[in-house]
Amino acid sequence: MSEATVIPVPAHYLAAGTRNTADEYATRYAESIANPDAFWAKEAQVVDWMTPFTQVKDVSFNADDLHIKWFADGALNVAANCLDRQLAKRGDKTAIIWEGDNPAESRHISYRELHKEVCQFANVLTAKGVKKGDRITIYMPMIPEAAVAMLACTRIGAPHSVVFGGFSPDSLAGRIEDCGSTVVITADEGLRGGKAIPLKANVDNAIRTPAGAGVETVIVVRRTGGSVNWDNNRDFWYHDLMTGASAEHTAEAMNAEDPLFILYTSGSTGKPKGVLHTTGGYLVYVTSTFANMFDLREDDVFWCTADVGWVTGHSYLLYGPLANGATTIMFEGVPQYPDWSRIGQVVDKHSATILYTAPTAIRALMREGDGPTLASSRKSLRLLGSVGEPINPEAWNWYHRVVGDSRCPVIDTWWQTETGGVLITPLPGAVDMKPGSASRPYFGIKPAILDNEGVELTGACEGNLVITDSWPGQMRSVYGDHQRFVDTYFKTFNGVYTTGDGARRDADDYYWITGRVDDVLNVSGHRMGTAEVESALVSHKAVAEAAVVGFPHDIKGQGIFAYVTLQEGHEPSDELCKALVTHVRAEIGPIAAPDQIQWAPGLPKTRSGKIMRRILRKIAANEFDGLGDTSTLADPSVVDSLVRGRQAGS
Ligand code: 6R9
């Protein structure tokens, strides 16, 4: 099986010189584990400090005394690291290459230009009354102003909460309320695949709900010129505010442990959590990982296809690249527009040297055959990366062979919103690749595999993936609910960080992520809690009860399968099925739309009323054998009826 396949880093790649050789990786990794304080004190010099720190690490993973602090007496500013310190050497270097949805549109923005715009916008925010510590919600398309807004927030010390532009007004309102934002930055409309997305109208609708009522100021970037409703007391055009705003601005000195941003992510229960990252540790970690895992060179043109609304967009589209003085491509569009050759065309147009994308995009491209990809030369590429979900060896091999012409190493990078940056990946030049394996830990990362009782397994094994010691980029809290942070990550097993993922370790100490072990789905690399989709479904008047599980999906990795029990007086129909899908899209956003709905006269429950998801997952996957012991169910006949329904394709 694929485990036996080892693909060494190609000789031509090594010949060009790499940041880490196999020996250096081994030595530095050993040092980082033996003496984390010394390792990170040195590594933290990848960023500029306004006040040097004297303390490195102050951590306890013990749930009763949980604390996580890094570089706690140091001070720095993220925007100053991403912009000001680059000006002397790289003022005229391109910081952001913006590629529009329309292939005829693109822009190069130099470090000097970006610095100027960020300083101006920082002054604009201050003039609007924003102070250090205020939370700012950003609901933007993939346009340079999204980067300007994020960097300006970090410049004045106002934590941002970026909400993905695909989320509904209700989802947006919930996130605005949770972090108590009074300022929202948005655009008139977004543009994706030739279609306009009504961002300003969504903001208006969010503010109309009780949850969004606290918003006092909306700053709107004109992107499409589409018509929008306007409230003169509340709404301001970005370009009006920027006209005449001073480009002089001194970045705020932030304590290393001051909040940097909040990013909402789905958990296994309840509403999304506001993952809180702080300033110093996060910046050190993304700056360090970005340079090493992409084996960064000065002339690289780096392209990460993630949206800024996800953590990958924060850490590796924006902060990691800019803190390293790299050129980063920001792509407004989608891989299939105008057609499936777009990815290769963008690579060629901007001579991208590194492409970092998600398995779902790779599988979608692969389904189109080699043709669209081979329509481009892609000769500028030297390295490929994958992120967001497990990559199946078939997709890995195709990515390597077709997109990378068998020339570019592929790094499969495993991490989470919570981890801030990558924890497990093969450093190019240092670690041989195995298709489908995220492979080996980054410096300072101590993974372990526990059985369900919390006993650590040794050697080759499979179980729950945990991290036994802290790293600087780790999240510090759930915004507004620290207890939830402690309960979610530090109570399942004592004294370790529980990732929620399962993993296998092979005889070469390579890690293979097997997917979530909790009720979190991963749909096209997007996290989605089953509980969130269920509560959206039951908020529809026809629905009495719903149970949602993931099922294997060729392109998305996992699809959303919903079992729905209707209220008395409502009958199953194709129209109702469509209405429910539309309802979930409106409640949460298109990414949460169920792929399949099965009408369920009843759901399999234990006598204590717990839904047996294990059985529902099997039925959804068409695995009718081995449904396991159903004798503990309150009504075992429910299972037969669901199986019959699935076989009939209901
Ligand atoms: C960065 C990001 C985190 C979850 C994570 C895991 C899955 C991410 C992966 C991967 C296998 C990889 N995941 N990268 N699984 N191999 N290389 O995606 O963050 O949106 O928080 O999702 O995604 O299940 O727990 P986030």
Side-chain angles (χ1 to χ4, degrees):
M1 110 126 218
S2 55
E3 207 169 314
T5 316
V6 177
I7 300 185
V9 179
H12 73 83
Y13 188 95
L14 294 174
T18 59
R19 277 184 184 247
N20 297 280
T21 63
D23 287 347
E24 283 160 354
Y25 168 69
T27 312
R28 289 185 74 200
Y29 181 74
E31 282 169 9
S32 71
I33 297 302
N35 193 344
D37 275 63
F39 178 85
W40 287 112
K42 197 161 155 219
E43 192 63 12
Q45 304 314 319
V46 295
V47 309
D48 284 0
W49 295 84
M50 291 166 163
T51 310
F53 54 86
T54 62
Q55 304 151 17
V56 181
K57 177 180 172 214
D58 177 9
V59 173
S60 161
F61 273 4
N62 185 331
D64 297 329
D65 173 36
L66 187 80
H67 57 272
I68 302 165
K69 288 188 182 146
W70 284 89
F71 318 117
D73 60 350
L76 73 168
N77 182 279
V78 167
N81 272 282
C82 290
L83 302 169
D84 307 45
R85 75 157 167 165
Q86 311 296 352
L87 295 182
K89 245 178 73 190
R90 302 184 177 107
D92 296 322
K93 181 174 177 176
T94 300
I96 296 178
I97 298 176
W98 177 73
E99 168 75 13
D101 186 54
N102 174 345
E105 279 191 89
S106 60
R107 262 176 81 190
H108 285 236
I109 300 157
S110 69
Y111 272 93
R112 200 180 321 284
E113 289 163 338
L114 187 61
H115 173 258
K116 175 170 179 248
E117 198 160 332
V118 168
C119 285
Q120 285 182 296
F121 197 55
N123 284 322
V124 163
L125 289 175
T126 305
K128 283 273 158 251
V130 177
K131 289 187 289 300
K132 180 173 174 175
D134 291 350
R135 283 79 52 216
I136 307 293
T137 296
I138 298 178
Y139 184 65
M140 296 268 269
M142 289 283 281
I143 54 176
E145 289 82 357
V148 172
M150 291 166 77
L151 286 160
C153 285
T154 71
R155 201 166 180 94
I156 61 176
H160 56 65
S161 160
V162 183
V163 178
F164 174 57
F167 278 120
S168 68
D170 274 335
S171 298
L172 172 63
R175 287 158 170 78
I176 288 172
E177 181 181 42
D178 188 81
C179 70
S181 274
T182 60
V183 178
V184 177
I185 305 167
T186 189
D188 51 0
E189 297 177 317
L191 205 54
R192 269 166 76 87
K195 285 203 279 284
I197 297 148
L199 297 177
K200 170 65 165 65
N202 286 351
V203 171
D204 293 344
N205 287 331
I207 294 174
R208 263 181 221 121
T209 68
V215 174
E216 292 161 7
T217 305
V218 180
I219 300 176
V220 188
V221 177
R222 184 171 283 148
R223 165 63 190 104
T224 64
S227 75
V228 288
N229 289 325
W230 208 254
D231 174 341
N232 278 324
N233 295 320
R234 189 195 68 196
D235 300 340
F236 303 89
W237 286 112
Y238 175 89
H239 56 267
D240 285 348
L241 299 174
M242 290 289 272
T243 308
S246 163
E248 296 294 315
H249 187 273
T250 308
E252 187 82 25
M254 303 297 290
N255 180 267
E257 286 299 338
D258 278 339
L260 178 64
F261 66 80
I262 299 160
L263 184 57
Y264 287 87
T265 192
S266 296
S268 49
T269 53
K271 57 177 188 151
K273 302 185 269 279
V275 167
L276 179 78
H277 282 287
T278 57
T279 307
Y282 173 83
L283 192 67
V284 166
Y285 197 70
V286 299
T287 307
S288 168
T289 49
F290 180 79
N292 284 303
M293 76 193 195
F294 292 114
D295 193 22
L296 189 66
R297 302 172 190 175
E298 186 60 42
D299 56 0
D300 271 324
V301 175
F302 175 77
W303 183 17
C304 165
T305 64
D307 192 280
V308 289
W310 310 115
V311 75
T312 307
H314 284 56
S315 300
Y316 299 119
L317 187 136
L318 195 61
Y319 295 123
L322 297 186
N324 278 289
T327 297
T328 184
I329 297 179
M330 182 185 232
F331 176 41
E332 186 183 35
V334 290
Q336 66 273 30
Y337 181 80
D339 59 56
W340 283 102
S341 63
R342 187 75 190 271
I343 298 252
Q345 281 169 0
V346 174
V347 167
D348 284 359
K349 178 173 172 186
H350 301 298
S351 300
T353 57
I354 306 172
L355 175 64
Y356 189 37
T357 193
T360 186
I362 297 165
R363 287 189 299 261
L365 209 54
M366 182 170 128
R367 187 185 53 180
E368 300 300 311
D370 299 2
T373 301
L374 296 181
S376 54
S377 96
R378 286 156 287 100
K379 66 177 192 307
S380 55
L381 287 175
R382 65 172 186 83
L383 183 62
L384 301 173
S386 171
V387 57
E389 47 175 320
I391 180 165
N392 45 313
E394 198 193 1
W396 195 104
N397 283 317
W398 186 85
Y399 193 34
H400 182 249
R401 181 174 57 81
V402 181
V403 178
D405 268 330
S406 305
R407 177 186 72 239
C408 308
V410 175
I411 57 167
D412 175 6
T413 65
W414 173 81
W415 59 299
Q416 310 177 300
T417 305
E418 294 88 334
T419 68
V422 168
L423 300 195
I424 303 183
T425 192
L427 295 184
V431 177
D432 291 341
M433 299 161 282
K434 295 190 187 189
S437 170
S439 80
R440 304 279 303 134
Y442 190 69
F443 303 125
I445 303 302
K446 281 170 77 178
I449 295 186
L450 308 185
D451 69 12
N452 288 340
E453 276 66 55
V455 176
E456 181 166 354
L457 305 174
T458 53
C461 59
E462 181 168 343
N464 300 287
L465 178 64
V466 302
I467 312 294
T468 65
D469 200 357
S470 184
W471 63 100
Q474 182 171 26
M475 75 184 278
R476 302 295 198 263
S477 191
V478 170
Y479 186 80
D481 193 352
H482 191 69
Q483 195 55 43
R484 190 167 170 203
F485 176 57
V486 179
D487 293 347
T488 308
Y489 303 101
F490 299 95
K491 287 253 172 95
T492 319
F493 304 112
N494 278 336
V496 297
Y497 167 76
T498 298
T499 66
D501 278 322
R504 186 158 56 83
R505 187 171 51 215
D506 70 17
D508 298 327
D509 266 350
Y510 273 52
Y511 289 85
W512 301 69
I513 311 298
T514 54
R516 300 291 305 192
V517 294
D518 53 14
D519 288 326
V520 172
L521 306 179
N522 192 324
V523 182
S524 300
H526 299 148
R527 272 167 75 161
M528 190 52 55
T530 52
E532 280 169 74
V533 185
E534 287 164 4
S535 76
L537 282 166
V538 297
S539 73
H540 188 281
K541 63 178 185 325
V543 177
E545 198 171 29
V548 166
V549 295
F551 74 107
H553 189 288
D554 284 350
I555 304 293
K556 298 178 175 184
Q558 260 187 326
I560 300 180
F561 195 106
Y563 295 87
V564 171
T565 307
L566 294 174
Q567 297 276 15
E568 280 306 315
H570 291 269
E571 292 302 320
S573 68
D574 287 351
E575 289 71 51
L576 182 55
C577 182
K578 284 198 196 101
L580 293 182
V581 172
T582 307
H583 179 72
V584 176
R585 290 173 72 99
E587 287 284 308
I588 305 176
I591 57 170
D595 296 278
Q596 293 214 37
I597 290 182
Q598 179 170 335
W599 309 114
L603 294 171
K605 292 186 189 160
T606 60
R607 291 196 184 97
S608 61
K610 243 180 140 231
I611 295 174
M612 298 271 277
R613 287 169 193 284
R614 177 178 56 76
I615 292 176
L616 293 176
R617 274 195 286 267
K618 289 228 162 188
I619 297 174
N622 279 313
E623 291 171 14
F624 306 120
D625 296 335
L627 286 175
D629 184 9
T630 55
S631 62
T632 56
L633 290 178
D635 177 6
S637 74
V638 162
V639 174
D640 298 333
S641 112
L642 291 179
V643 168
R644 278 197 305 277
R646 180 76 174 121
Q647 284 168 331
S650 99

